[in-house]
Each structure stands twice: as C-alpha cells, then as structure tokens.
Amino acid sequence: MSGDPYGPSHGFVVPPMPSSPPPAPPDAWRAAAVALLNLSGLGLGYALVRRWVLMAVCWAATAVLLLVALPADADGVPGLALAVYLVFLALAAVHGAFAGLRTPLAWPGRPSLALLLGVLLLAAPVGGTVLYDDAREEAIQQQLLDRLHKADQLVAQSGRRSFESARSDYGTALDVYEDLAAHHSGSRAADRVPGSMETYYATVGADYGHKRYCEAIAPLKYLRTVPRTMPKEELGALTRWPDDRLATSLYECGSSSLSSGEADWVTHFGELLSTFPRSEQTTKVAPAVDLAVTGTEKDVRGSDPCAAVERLRGLTTRITDLSGSAGDAAADLTKSADRAGRSADSGEYACGVDQYKDGDFEAAQKTMDEFVADNKNDKNRARAKKISIAAEVAQTLPAAGKRLPTTASGGSISVTVKNDSPDPITVYYTGPVTGSFSLKACGSCKAYSFAASITIGFKPCSDSGRHYPQRTISLPPGTTYFVHKPRDLSTATPASDTAKLRSGYIYTECAYTTRTLGSSY
C-alpha cells in the first residue's frame, strides 16, 4: 500500500520560549536574597533572575565609582559620587527585591543558599572599603610626611641666608610643625616633629655656634617665642635651649661694642641684666665696664688724650643710665661711673696740653678753663690757668704758643701797662712767665681815629694831665708777648705787642682804642 507523498501527515509543533521565567509564588527569602546580592555592587541578584541588562548597569556604576576612587588619595572619594552610588545600590536592592519576589532563581534552586551567598559576597564591598580606608590612611600619612619634608627643606634653605631675610620662611615652617603636632598627633609625621624641631633650633641659632654673637641675638630671641605656639611636650628641653646662649650673646656682643667704643653696649648689657638677672653672664657686666674705664684712663696718657676724655664722658653717662636698672650690679656700676667722671675731669688737663701742642689754641683755652672750673684741688690747676692765658695770647700771636708756659713768676725788669681807653681791659702776657690782669677804663679817654693812630709822632698815654689806670709787673729778660682785650667788647680786635726785654731798662705798654667800622685795641 502506498500513500500519497504529498498527502496529509501527522507530527509535533514546538511552542515559542517565553522571554522571562513564568511568575512563581511570592517568596520573601528569595526577594531578600536578590536584594542582598545586588548590594555587592556587581548586580549578582539580577543575574539570578536573569536581568542581564540591569546587571550590566550595576557593573558600569561600580566601574565608574572605582575610576573615581582609585588610586586612593588623602581626600578620599568625592562625597557627591559616593552618595549617588549608595543611592543607586539602594535602588538596585529595592528593585531586585521586587523582581525576586515572584521570579524563580536560575541558580541555586534554594533561596536560602542564595541568601547565604549574598551574605558572603557582602564581604567584598566591606573588605574593599576597609582596604580603601587603609590605602587612604597611607595616602594621608604620605601627604603629612611630604609636608614635613618640605618644611624641613625650607628650614635648610633658610639657614643659608641671614635671619632677617629668612624669618618669614622660618615662620612658615614652624606653622607646619605646629599643625602636625597639634592636629595630626598620631601620624608618623608628627612623631618626627621633635627631631625636626631640634634641627630647626640648631639652624635658626647657627650664628651662635659660629660665635657671631651680635648676629645671634635676634634669632635667639625669636626662638624664645616658639613655645608660645608649639606644644611644650613637643619641645622638651628645647624650651630653655636659647636662654643661656642668648645671655652669652648679649654679654659678648656688649663687651665687643664696649671695647670698640660703640654706644649700643648699654642696650645689650641692659637687656642682659633685665632678662637674665641671675645668670652667670650678668655677674661679668660690672667687671667688664670697670675694665673699660681703666683702659680708657690709660689712654688719657696716650697719643690722643682728648679722644680718651670724650670716651670717659660717654662712659660716665652710659654707665649711669645702665646702673638705673642693674639690680645687684647697680652699686658697682655707680662706682665705675663716678671714677670715669673724675678721670674725665682730670684728663682735661692732658687734653688741653695736647691741643696746645697741636696749635689748636682756641680749643686748648676752652679745655683748660673747663679743667680749672671742674678741678678745684688738682695739682695741675695752677699751670692750667697759665696755659689758658698763653692760649689766649697765641690766638693773636701764634709765635707765643711755641712753648708750654710754666708756673714761674716775677723777674728783674719792670714793665708798666697803662690804659688809654674808655673801656676796661684785660692784659694777657706770656713768655718766660705768664699771667694776666685787668685795668679799669680811663674815664677821660676817648677812642682815637684810625687816621690819627697812623700819624707820625702819634703817642698814646702821653697826656701828663690825665690819670691813666696802670699796673707795673716784674718780668725776666727775654721775649714776652702781650695782648690787650676790652672786657665788654667781645667783637673788638685785640691789640698785641711783642716785647724783647733786656736788663737795665724800664718798659711801658700802652693800651688804646682806634675806631673804624669796628673797634680795635
């Protein structure tokens, strides 16, 4: 029997596959498992319910977060990015829970196993978070160490410059050390701050180590202010490190200034006495000052006594100022000031002699007059008066100043000086003997005209009918220089005469006034 190959036949028809699993009875454990697996950030809950696109979205979100977060740095993950990601995970968990409530799992068959897997996989984000925090903490530590290193470098570079030019950089480095110690006390950088501070102190105070004591004062004073900002426990013994060094620098710098004649030694010694009144260096101040007075007293007998007297005057004033705030050293300093003052007074004589020998007769006269006024009982007072008179004469007759006058007096030759002038006069003379005296004005006398004074036969003091004020003195033979000056006319030109006296003669000097545009004698 054959059949029609093109006739009807019988077979099976395969129905089309559904796009998603058929709904299953609601299962809370299954929903929880899917939600928990989605919290891992890998979308594994979606994988179990075969939501592949949503799983890929979870991977993409996690990948973006990793790109933002890695490598770990001190600032961590930006807050906005982390917040968005956490919201995304929460939405994925909620959505996954709804999807898993009625969708059977592709694997494993039991929801309890999926739930256990979700719990285990939570270790991944938790562990990742811990590792990230560790990496971020290390980044923070490295950042702090880098700040410390840069501050240390800044200190090292600043040490190659003067303190004043580097002061602001020292302050910048100190701010870093203070911040690390105060606000990052548990960091490795903070643990290294004490060592950095030791280097800091040594660098700032390097001038002291090189014995540049004057230059060391400012940086050492600066270092004494550091404990105001740095925690004292970070400084330890450094808190008192500058004190003895500053006291030594103030003393050494003051001593150097005192020896060289500069005036700022008072400032340095004064600061030493007030800041470190009980220090060993303070006990050296009074002896150093006294030694300076002694040395300057010796200089009075040297080649420039006037300069030595001036220094003694300055020492007297400055020591007196210093003794006012010297505490226990005040008494000794006062004694030194008094001695310097007395030595300056007596040294005026040597100064005047030196000025006279140098031909500075005006200065010599002034100095000797001051010496006479300041030293009532000095053994040189009498000769100082003679030198003052000779200096007065030598200002008009320089030849009179070739020799220092002596204290000799008297002689065998009589010299009479008359005043044919309407003004009182002072007569100065020097030569073998030196002296001066005054004559009253001649009441009936008048000043001569200049023309009359140069007329042939002009003879002042020749009117026998007048009583001329006069005085007779006795002088030895030799050249005597006379100068007549009106006592009340300081601007008048003095008259002068050089008399070569010989024994057997009687001499007369006449003082008179001539008037032109000014006055002269």
Side-chain angles (χ1 to χ4, degrees):
M1 183 170 155
S2 61
D4 185 358
Y6 300 102
S9 62
H10 300 278
F12 297 96
V13 178
V14 180
M17 293 293 293
S19 61
S20 61
D27 188 338
W29 289 105
R30 188 171 59 230
V34 173
L36 196 60
L37 285 168
N38 276 358
L39 286 177
S40 67
L42 299 176
L44 294 180
Y46 285 132
L48 294 186
V49 294
R50 296 173 293 278
R51 303 291 180 92
W52 311 112
V53 174
L54 293 176
M55 182 184 71
V57 171
C58 290
W59 285 8
T62 300
V64 170
L65 179 68
L66 292 176
L67 289 174
V68 172
L70 297 177
D73 59 25
D75 295 330
V77 182
L80 179 61
L82 183 60
V84 170
Y85 184 71
L86 291 176
V87 170
F88 173 79
L89 285 184
L91 292 175
V94 173
H95 183 263
F98 279 105
L101 185 63
R102 292 183 176 275
T103 303
L105 301 179
W107 180 92
R110 297 171 59 186
S112 58
L113 291 178
L115 186 62
L116 177 61
L117 179 62
V119 172
L120 293 176
L121 288 178
L122 279 180
V126 173
T129 301
V130 172
L131 292 175
Y132 182 83
D133 287 342
D134 289 343
R136 179 172 177 268
E137 178 62 27
E138 180 61 25
I140 293 174
Q141 293 287 342
Q142 291 299 325
Q143 183 186 64
L144 296 177
L145 288 171
D146 184 60
R147 289 183 61 199
L148 178 67
H149 178 67
K150 289 181 179 178
D152 291 343
Q153 283 188 319
L154 184 60
V155 171
Q157 294 168 0
S158 300
R160 294 189 284 270
R161 294 152 42 206
S162 68
F163 171 72
E164 289 303 328
S165 66
R167 183 166 187 159
S168 61
D169 288 338
Y170 284 134
T172 300
L174 184 62
D175 289 341
V176 173
Y177 297 145
E178 189 276 333
D179 180 69
L180 292 174
H183 302 111
H184 304 280
S185 57
S187 65
R188 297 200 298 271
D191 292 341
R192 299 181 187 181
V193 166
S196 294
M197 288 306 301
E198 291 181 3
T199 303
Y200 182 84
Y201 270 67
T203 303
V204 175
D207 283 327
Y208 177 85
H210 295 297
K211 296 184 178 181
R212 296 192 289 262
Y213 296 112
C214 293
E215 292 85 346
I217 291 175
L220 289 172
K221 289 169 67 175
Y222 168 80
L223 288 175
R224 294 187 80 223
T225 67
V226 171
R228 299 175 189 173
T229 56
M230 280 294 294
K232 291 186 177 180
E233 59 271 14
E234 299 294 335
L235 296 176
L238 291 176
T239 301
R240 310 301 300 174
W241 188 90
D243 292 353
D244 185 70
R245 291 169 172 79
L246 177 56
T248 299
S249 297
L250 288 170
Y251 172 75
E252 294 294 342
C253 185
S255 297
S256 176
S257 297
L258 181 61
S259 300
S260 61
E262 299 174 11
D264 58 353
W265 64 269
V266 178
T267 301
H268 300 316
F269 279 171
E271 188 170 356
L272 172 61
L273 291 170
S274 60
T275 307
F276 306 103
R278 304 300 177 193
S279 67
E280 178 185 356
Q281 294 85 345
T282 296
T283 62
K284 300 178 182 179
V285 171
V289 171
D290 193 69
L291 184 63
V293 173
T294 300
T296 310
E297 287 174 330
K298 292 179 181 179
D299 291 341
V300 172
R301 300 186 292 274
S303 61
D304 194 356
C306 293
V309 169
E310 187 65 25
R311 290 199 298 273
L312 285 170
R313 295 288 186 210
L315 283 172
T316 302
T317 300
R318 295 185 180 98
I319 297 172
T320 301
D321 293 341
L322 181 63
S323 64
S325 59
D328 295 340
D332 291 337
L333 290 172
T334 299
K335 291 179 182 178
S336 297
D338 292 342
R339 185 158 64 86
R342 292 192 300 270
S343 297
D345 289 342
S346 62
E348 286 177 338
Y349 176 77
C351 174
V353 170
D354 187 67
Q355 290 170 330
Y356 189 93
K357 289 180 177 180
D358 289 343
D360 191 353
F361 301 118
E362 182 178 1
Q365 181 185 13
K366 180 181 178 182
T367 299
M368 287 307 187
D369 288 344
E370 291 176 353
F371 172 78
V372 170
D374 294 338
N375 299 271
K376 303 297 183 183
N377 301 311
D378 193 279
K379 64 181 181 179
N380 293 314
R381 189 169 186 266
R383 193 179 186 192
K385 289 182 178 179
K386 299 289 187 178
I387 295 175
S388 175
I389 293 170
E392 175 69 61
V393 175
Q395 291 177 63
T396 302
L397 300 171
K402 291 182 177 180
R403 294 185 180 86
L404 277 172
T406 67
T407 56
S409 61
S412 59
I413 300 174
S414 176
V415 177
T416 299
V417 181
K418 298 181 179 180
N419 184 15
D420 186 3
S421 165
D423 303 307
I425 65 170
T426 299
V427 179
Y428 304 90
Y429 59 92
T430 188
V433 299
T434 300
S436 67
F437 57 87
S438 296
L439 293 177
K440 293 187 291 186
C442 175
S444 58
C445 297
K446 296 181 179 180
Y448 294 95
S449 67
F450 178 74
S453 67
I454 61 175
T455 301
I456 297 176
F458 172 68
K459 292 183 178 181
C461 298
S462 60
D463 188 343
S464 58
R466 290 180 179 173
H467 178 70
Y468 297 105
Q470 59 184 290
R471 182 171 174 174
T472 300
I473 57 176
S474 297
L475 300 176
T479 301
T480 297
Y481 303 90
F482 290 91
V483 168
H484 313 146
K485 290 184 68 175
R487 291 205 303 268
D488 301 330
L489 298 175
S490 60
T491 58
T493 302
S496 61
D497 182 31
T498 301
K500 296 182 178 180
L501 306 181
R502 293 183 293 173
S503 299
Y505 290 88
I506 297 175
Y507 294 87
T508 300
E509 284 280 323
C510 181
Y512 61 92
T513 303
T514 59
R515 300 214 180 267
T516 54
L517 295 178
S519 300
S520 62
Y521 275 78

